[in-house]
Amino acid sequence: MGLLVTSDAVEARAHRFDWFCETVSNDVMPVMLSTRRAADFQADVTYLDLGVVGLSVVTSSPVISRRTAAHVRRGDPEHVQLALITQGAVRISQRDNESVVAGGLVLTDTSRPSGGACTAERTETVIMQIPRQALPLNSNRVDRLLGQGLAADAGTGAILADFLKTLVARGPGCRPEELRAMGTVALDVATAFLAQQLGDPGEAPAEARAQETLQRIHRFIENNLGDPDLTPRAIAERHSMSLRRLHTLFGDQPLTLAAHIRRTRLARAHSELAREDLSGQPVQMIANRWGFSSAAAFSRAFRDAYGITPTEHRVLSRTAAHLGGRSLP
């Protein structure tokens, strides 16, 4: 499912660039934009929600951007942005690095000042937004790559570029759960690419390697929630580690591993039970889809988590939808 906004929706040509500035500053991050083509400015912005990461495609007339320390203080999504330039060229500067990228990749950090310029008549950029906390690489090492042009015509760079292009082309036709799965794959490929750019991943400190393992396990759980046999022991065996080491990895997490799996499954079922388009599916079918093979166990766990039964939640959600968002008594 993709969200597309376009400057063509703005009737007055003179207001299209203002619309673009407002869209970027409000929906992405505060930034100063300027152009010499304000009178006939054109832009399209498409966004795909991939769960753990986001994917945007920005197509625009010539534009110059500048993000200062004041902009960072005003709003920071705390992302690293890995951009693939698919048309035109982009000049990027950050952390004392400046590059002109055409057909390649470039990494930037929303928490640092930066500058950029798209000078071609039409520039298209595919941008993967990666939360800093989701990238299982040492931040200090990743910072070395900021503002540098990275090749996308061979090795993992070419694989990543092709995958991003396929997501852009095919992603809008996918279901939300498919997009979430593709998001974890995209993050894995991007991580492999950045690790390769940094050299031997074995050079990373033990803490960073543990964080990488933990993120990989979280993604494995996300992709296998529907398997009723998803247990801590099965996860440990799948990742070639002892059960004790697995529990140690989760030692400083808010929930135990088993509780994390149960709560995530319940959240997925809770969301689907409220969906109008799934109202014809039996409650137990939805429960089974998220790994609950016992109707009694699912109902008991759901009531413990949300204070009502799955059926009551479905009825209340449908009633609220029919009331058009007005409060229920």
Side-chain angles (χ1 to χ4, degrees), residues 160-208:
L160 176 60
D162 287 346
F163 186 57
L164 293 180
K165 292 174 185 176
T166 301
L167 281 176
V168 169
R170 304 293 185 183
C174 293
R175 299 189 302 274
E177 58 269 25
E178 293 176 315
L179 290 177
R180 287 196 297 268
M182 290 300 98
T184 62
V185 175
L187 179 57
D188 284 342
V189 177
T191 300
F193 168 71
L194 293 173
Q196 188 274 331
Q197 298 296 313
L198 291 168
D200 182 6
E203 295 177 0
E207 182 180 345

Side-chain angles (χ1 to χ4, degrees), residues 213 216-217 220-221 229-250 257 261:
T213 301
R216 187 167 66 248
I217 291 170
F220 177 79
I221 292 171
D229 296 324
L230 182 69
T231 63
R233 183 171 297 281
I235 294 170
E237 292 175 355
R238 175 65 177 78
H239 291 84
S240 303
M241 66 176 65
S242 68
L243 191 59
R244 180 178 179 180
R245 184 184 172 219
L246 177 63
H247 285 307
T248 299
L249 279 173
F250 275 79
L257 178 55
I261 293 171

Side-chain angles (χ1 to χ4, degrees), residues 129-175:
Q129 293 106 6
I130 307 172
R132 266 283 188 179
Q133 63 197 30
L135 186 64
L137 295 173
N138 184 279
S139 295
N140 292 331
R141 300 178 76 235
V142 171
D143 286 349
R144 304 174 195 169
L145 302 176
L146 297 177
Q148 297 185 30
L150 308 171
D153 57 355
T156 53
I159 293 172
L160 176 60
D162 287 346
F163 186 57
L164 293 180
K165 292 174 185 176
T166 301
L167 281 176
V168 169
R170 304 293 185 183
C174 293
R175 299 189 302 274

Side-chain angles (χ1 to χ4, degrees), residues 48 80 128 155 173-174 178 197-198 206 212 287 289 294:
L48 277 176
V80 288
M128 186 190 303
C174 293
E178 293 176 315
Q197 298 296 313
L198 291 168
E212 181 178 0
R289 182 153 59 242
S294 165

Side-chain angles (χ1 to χ4, degrees), residues 8-322:
D8 288 339
V10 181
E11 295 183 2
R13 285 179 174 268
H15 295 159
R16 287 178 178 174
F17 183 66
D18 292 338
W19 163 86
F20 182 69
C21 293
E22 184 177 348
T23 298
V24 172
S25 290
N26 291 343
D27 298 343
V28 182
M29 59 183 179
V31 65
M32 181 189 302
L33 300 173
S34 60
T35 184
R36 56 181 170 80
R37 297 285 299 275
D40 59 349
F41 188 82
Q42 295 285 332
D44 295 330
V45 181
T46 305
Y47 179 73
L48 277 176
D49 184 356
L50 302 178
V52 67
V53 299
L55 193 67
S56 299
V57 185
V58 180
T59 306
S60 76
S61 302
V63 65
I64 297 173
S65 67
R66 183 166 175 258
R67 180 164 163 83
T68 65
H71 289 120
V72 174
R73 289 192 297 270
R74 194 182 310 159
D76 181 14
E78 298 184 355
H79 289 169
V80 288
Q81 298 185 333
L82 187 56
L84 171 67
I85 316 305
T86 54
Q87 185 176 346
V90 174
R91 186 177 73 249
I92 290 287
S93 61
Q94 190 170 59
R95 199 176 180 265
D96 299 324
N97 294 322
E98 183 166 341
S99 306
V100 176
V101 183
L105 291 147
V106 64
L107 186 72
T108 57
D109 183 351
T110 64
S111 299
R112 295 175 179 266
S114 61
C118 307
T119 55
E121 288 302 302
R122 178 182 171 89
T123 301
E124 181 182 80
T125 307
V126 180
I127 307 169
M128 186 190 303
Q129 293 106 6
I130 307 172
R132 266 283 188 179
Q133 63 197 30
L135 186 64
L137 295 173
N138 184 279
S139 295
N140 292 331
R141 300 178 76 235
V142 171
D143 286 349
R144 304 174 195 169
L145 302 176
L146 297 177
Q148 297 185 30
L150 308 171
D153 57 355
T156 53
I159 293 172
L160 176 60
D162 287 346
F163 186 57
L164 293 180
K165 292 174 185 176
T166 301
L167 281 176
V168 169
R170 304 293 185 183
C174 293
R175 299 189 302 274
E177 58 269 25
E178 293 176 315
L179 290 177
R180 287 196 297 268
M182 290 300 98
T184 62
V185 175
L187 179 57
D188 284 342
V189 177
T191 300
F193 168 71
L194 293 173
Q196 188 274 331
Q197 298 296 313
L198 291 168
D200 182 6
E203 295 177 0
E207 182 180 345
R209 292 198 299 273
Q211 184 65 21
E212 181 178 0
T213 301
L214 187 61
Q215 294 293 341
R216 187 167 66 248
I217 291 170
H218 272 297
R219 294 195 292 274
F220 177 79
I221 292 171
E222 181 77 20
N223 290 333
N224 291 276
L225 285 171
D227 182 358
D229 296 324
L230 182 69
T231 63
R233 183 171 297 281
I235 294 170
E237 292 175 355
R238 175 65 177 78
H239 291 84
S240 303
M241 66 176 65
S242 68
L243 191 59
R244 180 178 179 180
R245 184 184 172 219
L246 177 63
H247 285 307
T248 299
L249 279 173
F250 275 79
D252 61 351
Q253 299 294 298
L255 298 173
T256 65
L257 178 55
H260 169 72
I261 293 171
R262 182 173 59 255
R263 189 170 79 168
T264 308
R265 283 171 165 166
L266 285 169
R268 296 285 186 271
H270 183 273
S271 175
E272 290 199 351
L273 285 167
R275 285 172 52 179
E276 185 72 24
D277 58 325
L278 298 180
S279 60
Q281 290 189 9
V283 169
Q284 191 53 38
M285 180 183 294
I286 292 175
N288 288 341
R289 182 153 59 242
W290 295 111
F292 293 98
S293 54
S294 165
F298 172 64
S299 182
R300 183 168 55 252
F302 195 96
R303 178 186 283 275
D304 289 343
Y306 300 108
I308 57 176
T309 68
T311 301
E312 289 169 343
H313 167 60
R314 170 173 267 182
V315 171
L316 287 172
S317 299
R318 193 177 307 170
T319 303
H322 291 164

